[in-house]
Amino acid sequence: MSLSAKDKANVKSIWTKIQTKSDDIGEQAFSRMLVVYPQTKTYFSHWADLKPGSAQVIKHGDTIMNKIDECVNHMEDLVPFLSSLSELHATKLRVDPANFKFLAHCLLVAVAAYLPNDFTPDIHLSVDKFLQLVALALAEKYR
Amino acid sequence: MVDWTTAERSAILGLWGKPNADEIGTQAFIRCLVVFPWTQRYFSSFGNLSTPAAIAGNPNVAKHGRTVMHGLDRAIQNLDDIKNTYAPLSVMHSEKLHVDPDNFRLLAECTTVCVAAKLGPSVFDADTHEAFQKFLRVVVSALGRQYHQSGTRQQYGGRKHQV
């Protein structure tokens, strides 16, 4: 399900609004994933505190969100853009790629919560497709 | 039987009635038809579904969204026995409506997004979000539970027929 010109325009347009609350949205998305899908906590068993609001959770939510923000400018070349990150996830972190959709879903929920009037159904459709392609690009190096 | 913590039970019951069920039902169903367009396959009799605007303005869509959301009332009233409460509905969706049960999960996702949009991040906080998704997961599972080959068996006198 590749991105049409309309999808790309939709993603860029909602992202200018997301960028004004990027830290909050990133933190919410990541911390919600850990609460709503507790199996994802298994990848962070070395952290002291996995609760929403903890320093490590906030920092990691920011890290992830910043990268997704950058992906918006690389919708034409997601696979090469995410190549080294894919390598990291595949060979070192070994996160089961089935988990990417849980973070994507929590990001959609966070965007809806913070930008209810802007996150219309057709924008939701485009962002959902975009995040699926990001996940696919991230899984590229797995096998 | 599902294990609900006191906090989860209270979050779910507290949530019910906060957003308007009719409004959320309609919005969630519209969103599902737009975001996952293959779900439109079950609604060819609904009239114009050709654009997001057409879907949003379609009275049959609004009505059906409300019907489905009120179906959740039964689950709320029977939190400790959703599986059996939904058995007849599951049979209906399988044998009469022939709905792919993956669609229930898609509608559940859209419902969560609509509730989050309505309530905002402080009211629909992480713990409330978790409880609500767990509740929807149980409902989705109960709705998919009665999908099996029982029809085929009756038709061919007990022997499995391979098409």
Side-chain angles (χ1 to χ4, degrees):
Chain A
M1 294 184 237
S2 53
L3 297 172
S4 65
K6 184 90 183 65
D7 288 323
K8 290 176 196 169
N10 281 345
V11 170
K12 286 193 177 319
S13 134
I14 188 80
W15 233 268
T16 56
K17 308 215 168 74
I18 288 174
Q19 224 109 43
T20 65
K21 300 173 196 268
S22 192
D23 286 352
D24 285 333
I25 289 176
E27 183 201 326
Q28 285 284 326
F30 184 62
S31 60
R32 276 168 197 264
M33 183 193 75
L34 296 171
V35 172
V36 179
Y37 302 99
Q39 66 270 31
T40 57
K41 291 194 291 188
T42 56
Y43 294 100
F44 304 98
S45 51
H46 54 291
W47 283 5
D49 183 357
L50 288 169
K51 287 195 294 298
S54 89
Q56 280 167 313
V57 170
I58 291 175
K59 180 157 176 277
H60 203 59
D62 280 348
T63 303
I64 296 174
M65 194 67 194
N66 288 338
K67 201 65 187 178
I68 298 178
D69 289 348
E70 285 176 54
C71 285
V72 174
N73 295 323
H74 287 271
M75 285 190 276
E76 316 277 337
D77 64 333
L78 281 174
V79 170
F81 180 63
L82 290 174
S83 173
S84 49
L85 208 53
S86 178
E87 187 79 36
L88 176 75
H89 281 76
T91 59
K92 191 156 170 270
L93 305 176
R94 284 181 289 200
V95 175
D96 189 327
N99 290 286
F100 299 155
K101 63 179 176 290
F102 299 143
L103 181 60
H105 171 71
C106 290
L107 184 52
L108 295 175
V109 172
V111 172
Y114 279 90
L115 301 168
N117 299 321
D118 299 298
F119 197 57
T120 59
D122 46 341
I123 299 277
H124 175 168
L125 163 61
S126 300
V127 176
D128 192 40
K129 285 172 75 174
F130 165 64
L131 293 176
Q132 277 197 17
L133 288 173
V134 169
L136 211 53
L138 206 55
E140 177 71 17
K141 293 278 191 310
Y142 271 69
R143 54 179 178 173
Chain B
M1 215 186 89
V2 180
D3 268 321
W4 303 105
T5 65
T6 315
E8 282 169 344
R9 201 179 285 267
S10 137
I12 294 162
L13 294 172
L15 204 51
W16 210 245
K18 265 207 187 83
N20 180 303
D22 280 352
E23 197 191 328
I24 296 286
T26 300
Q27 284 171 3
F29 187 51
I30 289 169
R31 201 165 276 260
C32 190
L33 294 172
V34 171
V35 177
F36 308 109
W38 52 93
T39 58
Q40 292 169 25
R41 74 188 301 281
Y42 303 105
F43 305 105
S44 48
S45 64
F46 272 30
N48 189 3
L49 298 177
S50 56
T51 63
I55 292 170
N58 186 315
N60 291 318
V61 169
K63 182 161 173 265
H64 194 64
R66 292 193 293 268
T67 303
V68 169
M69 197 55 45
H70 283 293
L72 284 179
D73 289 339
R74 255 181 279 186
I76 290 282
Q77 284 148 23
N78 294 281
L79 271 185
D80 292 311
D81 197 17
I82 294 176
K83 196 167 66 185
N84 289 319
T85 304
Y86 271 36
L89 258 180
S90 178
V91 170
M92 182 180 90
H93 281 77
S94 163
E95 291 178 19
K96 188 161 166 260
L97 303 175
H98 307 294
V99 177
D100 181 339
D102 197 55
N103 289 279
F104 307 145
R105 181 183 61 81
L106 301 179
L107 182 59
E109 277 186 27
C110 291
T111 306
T112 306
V113 166
C114 289
V115 170
K118 186 73 192 179
L119 298 179
S122 316
V123 173
F124 195 64
D125 60 18
D127 289 332
T128 308
H129 178 178
E130 185 272 332
F132 188 59
Q133 283 207 208
K134 181 171 168 179
F135 167 66
L136 289 179
R137 204 178 307 140
V138 172
V139 168
V140 165
S141 167
L143 269 175
R145 212 166 167 271
Q146 302 301 327
Y147 279 66
H148 40 236
Q149 287 181 294
S150 58
T152 314
R153 226 168 279 141
Q154 280 154 23
Q155 222 181 333
Y156 291 94
R159 282 173 54 223
K160 253 204 217 167
H161 176 76
Q162 299 285 309
V163 174

